Amino acid sequence: MEASSRWTTWWRRDRQQERQVTGGDAATRLDLLLGAVRAGFPLAPAAHPAGHRCSCDRIGCPAPAQHPVSFAWQSQATTDPEQLARWLSRDPQANFITATGRAHDVLDVPASAGELALERLDELGIGGPVAVVGDDRYLFFTATRGTPVDEDEWWTSALDSTPDTMSEHPGLRWHCRGSYTLLPPAALADGTEVRWVRGPEQPLPDPLRVLDVLTDACTEVGAVAEEQWLIG
């Protein structure tokens, strides 16, 4: 792809800066982000680590390197590769979030449940993109439930789009309309990396089929208690 080659060449200009970027060198990172764009995942720039702190100017940031740069992230989120290149040219170390409830949803579970569920989904022949957030969380990307005719039928996810409150819900989270997750490759201030287990080229599965497996896995590992998991 000619455009992709042009951006890759541009990214190789500064080798020292490339080494600071998570997900391998900058060309590899760009290829991974372009893969998500090609899959239709809407992206927006997010904060990144600045030493052991967040690159944002918020004192005591509750979610260092895990939140969008702009409050307008929902309108910013795009699948335009040229816009992605512009954002990266301004901030080569930026993490990216993907807005959920448009092209996809994300079911987000503790790692112990995610490992168990991934094995069972493979046995059932249910694929789909899967990412891990260090040793803590698994992110299962699924088809979105779409746009209902009646706006009152939306499942909102205001909680999940507010990083301050995410630690209060350690069980299963369903990121849908109004929410987001970090997109691999990404780095957190504590050295944790967000990476793909199965990439975005995988077809998106039915969210309810994945939910059945995840809820069982969460229950078995003790990750679900009353009001510890959220659907919007």
Side-chain angles (χ1 to χ4, degrees), residues 21-40:
V21 179
T22 187
D25 63 27
T28 300
R29 184 167 182 260
L30 177 60
D31 286 343
L32 287 168
L33 291 170
L34 286 172
V37 166
R38 286 191 292 269

Side-chain angles (χ1 to χ4, degrees), residues 42-74:
L43 276 60
H48 61 79
H52 296 290
R53 301 175 60 185
C54 184
S55 63
C56 74
D57 57 6
R58 183 175 181 181
I59 297 173
C61 175
Q66 299 180 63
H67 60 84
V69 170
S70 171
F71 289 116
W73 61 268
Q74 293 195 64

Side-chain angles (χ1 to χ4, degrees), residues 123-199:
E123 291 171 0
L124 293 169
I126 301 174
V130 179
V132 291
V133 182
D135 297 325
D136 296 330
R137 308 287 299 186
Y138 269 62
L139 307 177
F140 291 82
F141 289 70
T142 71
T144 186
R145 60 187 295 270
T147 305
V149 175
D150 185 351
E151 279 288 308
D152 291 336
E153 293 298 314
W154 277 112
W155 295 345
T156 58
S157 282
L159 172 72
D160 283 324
S161 60
T162 306
D164 318 50
T165 60
M166 291 181 70
S167 63
E168 298 172 11
H169 292 262
L172 191 153
R173 309 168 186 146
W174 189 329
H175 299 269
C176 44
R177 189 190 191 197
S179 189
Y180 61 82
T181 63
L182 279 175
L183 188 75
L188 305 187
D190 63 1
T192 296
E193 292 189 353
V194 184
R195 60 180 178 81
W196 289 114
V197 176
R198 297 196 303 221

Side-chain angles (χ1 to χ4, degrees), residues 78-94:
T78 181
T79 57
D80 180 359
E82 294 192 4
Q83 180 60 64
L84 171 64
R86 286 191 289 271
W87 281 328
L88 286 169
S89 70
R90 290 198 293 266
D91 188 357
Q93 296 186 64

